[in-house]
Amino acid sequence: MRSFLLIGLLFLRASAAEEIVPSVIAYAKAHAEGDVTASFRAADYRGDLSDLPIGVFDSGVGGLTVLEAIKSHDRHHNLTGEEGADGVPDFVGERFVYFGDQANMPYGNYSAAGRTGFLRELILRDALFLLGRRQARGEKPPVKAIVIACNTATAYGLEDVRAAVKAWGLPVIVVGVVEAGAQGLAETAHGAQGGVAVLATVGTCASNAYPKAIAKVTGRPVRQLGSATLAAAIEGDPSIKSPVRDIIRADVGTFLQAAAADGAAPIDTLVFGCTHYPLVADEIVASFAFWRDYAEADGSKPYAQLVASQLRQVNPAAWTAETLWRSLQAAKMMAKANPVTGDYFYISVPNPAWKGIGLAPDGSLNYEFKYGRSEGQVDREDTIIVPLRPDRLPGATSELVRNKLPLTWQSMQAVR
Ligand code: DGL
């Protein structure tokens, strides 16, 4: 009896998961005027889309590292398109719409909570927000491309977003960070022979998206370091009390301990498989150095042979920019007119008016509510999307963006 019940439950879950993409596709198709939140105006996607902005989304503000990489990308001559920097950013004529789904982050913890289906629905709704015109305080422009700037969202939702865009018949380009990161590893760390450490969220690690993508381009051994708290700590989550540096040091220590016990290959390359990690790249490299030099009471150094003295760093963001450039060029969709307005920035916040919402004392969604939700309600509005002004960034994050992402910071100043 119990096993019948279990099989029945498993079947229900499986069929619910299979319904996610079709139900979101059907919902948006039923609202072809873009009259509800999770929808777009079909008429916006007829004709030449080249002068529409490029959409970029992440689970929070970490994806601003990807936006910065796109804005600063200069690998081609702008007039001829030929390889070679010309001192003018390749996307100089483009506008961007950035969205950080901060109310629902961390995305990296939904898989451990058994809510992968709900995460996939969130990701499709993020794409719909970019495609549509609606936001809580007025209109936003539709987009010609969607950059999934979040590794976790790429791992769980890239194929879903591509399938949905195809089913809606939209000539919109969809790019994710994971394949770009693997390609970046193959190209930048050319010549490196040692092991690769992919640092990512627990969810990205559980999906195995990076090991699979890397195996397609190189045979080098890959180990994953999944952190449950680092991205949220970088984002300034007040519930995380440990300083970022301590979290990194503990995570890297645990990772190296397991690697040493397994007799893993020496590591000489780090892949930042989470959008937030390039912001603390120096601390991450310093932690590997700390453990490489760490000595036990008897003077032995357990990790000295496991960590190379020079670590190569791969930031998938730069490679995502290149993939986007190539895709827009191939589709002849680079902007033709010079932009008349700047970029747009949005962020999700809890909607206190939503019935049954669970809020923490600081006003964010509480854990039980956030990770207790299931797919199947495309029209839910427990969070709403508002403009991301620089003063909405938590203090520490604001400093990081100001110091490390200057083009993005400058562009954000115009947000009202
Ligand atoms: N932006 C996410 C990523 O790149 C990490 C943060 C999260 O867990 O939401 O994987």
Side-chain angles (χ1 to χ4, degrees), residues 58-59 105-108 150-152 201 204 231 274-276:
D58 177 45
S59 59
M105 75 104 49
Y107 277 10
C150 176
N151 294 264
T152 316
T201 64
T204 299
C274 173
T275 48
H276 298 58

Side-chain angles (χ1 to χ4, degrees), residues 133-220:
R133 284 180 173 266
R134 295 169 71 89
Q135 55 111 344
R137 299 212 195 123
E139 281 231 330
K140 61 167 274 298
V143 297
K144 65 180 170 187
I146 296 174
V147 177
I148 307 184
C150 176
N151 294 264
T152 316
T154 302
Y156 288 93
L158 176 68
E159 295 314 321
D160 289 351
V161 174
R162 285 199 171 137
V165 163
K166 191 165 171 218
W168 291 320
L170 307 181
V172 168
I173 286 163
V174 182
V175 171
V177 282
V178 175
E179 283 82 4
Q183 196 55 40
L185 171 72
E187 294 191 34
T188 33
H190 203 68
Q193 300 294 329
V196 177
V198 174
L199 293 87
T201 64
V202 173
T204 299
C205 294
S207 76
N208 271 324
Y210 266 103
K212 282 187 215 151
I214 291 172
K216 287 187 191 154
V217 293
T218 161
R220 292 172 59 189

Side-chain angles (χ1 to χ4, degrees), residues 22 28 54 104 122 127 153 178 186 191 195 211 213 215-216 219 232 234 277 290 348 413:
I54 295 165
N104 293 305
L122 276 180
V178 175
K216 287 187 191 154
I234 296 169
Y277 297 177
F290 170 86
S348 61
Q413 300 312 305

Side-chain angles (χ1 to χ4, degrees), residues 114-396:
R115 299 292 162 165
T116 304
F118 182 70
L119 173 62
R120 289 173 57 197
E121 194 173 272
L122 276 180
I123 296 162
L124 283 162
R125 284 164 41 106
D126 295 342
L128 274 170
F129 169 72
L130 289 177
L131 293 169
R133 284 180 173 266
R134 295 169 71 89
Q135 55 111 344
R137 299 212 195 123
E139 281 231 330
K140 61 167 274 298
V143 297
K144 65 180 170 187
I146 296 174
V147 177
I148 307 184
C150 176
N151 294 264
T152 316
T154 302
Y156 288 93
L158 176 68
E159 295 314 321
D160 289 351
V161 174
R162 285 199 171 137
V165 163
K166 191 165 171 218
W168 291 320
L170 307 181
V172 168
I173 286 163
V174 182
V175 171
V177 282
V178 175
E179 283 82 4
Q183 196 55 40
L185 171 72
E187 294 191 34
T188 33
H190 203 68
Q193 300 294 329
V196 177
V198 174
L199 293 87
T201 64
V202 173
T204 299
C205 294
S207 76
N208 271 324
Y210 266 103
K212 282 187 215 151
I214 291 172
K216 287 187 191 154
V217 293
T218 161
R220 292 172 59 189
V222 179
R223 284 189 81 91
Q224 303 189 92
L225 191 174
S227 179
T229 50
L230 183 54
I234 296 169
E235 195 110 350
D237 182 335
S239 71
I240 298 170
K241 305 292 176 219
S242 305
V244 165
R245 207 191 67 159
D246 294 1
I247 295 173
I248 297 172
R249 193 170 281 185
D251 284 345
V252 173
T254 310
F255 167 78
L256 290 175
Q257 204 175 17
D262 291 352
I267 290 152
D268 65 8
T269 307
L270 307 179
V271 174
F272 297 129
C274 173
T275 48
H276 298 58
Y277 297 177
L279 289 168
V280 293
D282 295 347
E283 284 90 334
I284 291 173
V285 173
S287 271
F288 274 91
F290 170 86
W291 288 110
R292 185 181 57 232
D293 298 338
Y294 168 79
E296 302 278 13
D298 63 2
S300 63
K301 294 189 170 180
Y303 311 119
Q305 304 306 318
L306 195 52
V307 181
S309 52
Q310 289 295 318
L311 287 169
R312 294 177 198 240
Q313 302 169 39
V314 177
N315 178 1
W319 300 87
T320 305
E322 179 61 14
T323 307
L324 175 66
W325 187 88
R326 288 181 194 175
S327 305
L328 287 170
Q329 282 286 337
K332 300 201 174 0
M333 280 170 74
M334 295 298 281
K336 296 185 177 75
N338 275 332
V340 282
T341 53
D343 303 328
Y344 301 77
F345 294 85
Y346 299 100
I347 196 166
S348 61
V349 293
N351 176 9
W354 184 256
K355 198 163 171 271
I357 197 163
L359 296 177
D362 68 356
S364 62
L365 296 181
N366 68 31
Y367 186 92
E368 292 70 28
F369 181 82
K370 195 185 282 182
Y371 294 105
R373 297 170 293 176
S374 300
E375 64 273 18
Q377 199 182 350
V378 185
D379 59 351
R380 66 164 55 239
E381 289 192 20
D382 45 13
T383 61
I384 51 170
I385 299 174
V386 297
L388 168 57
R389 295 190 313 260
D391 65 356
R392 277 191 189 272
L393 294 170

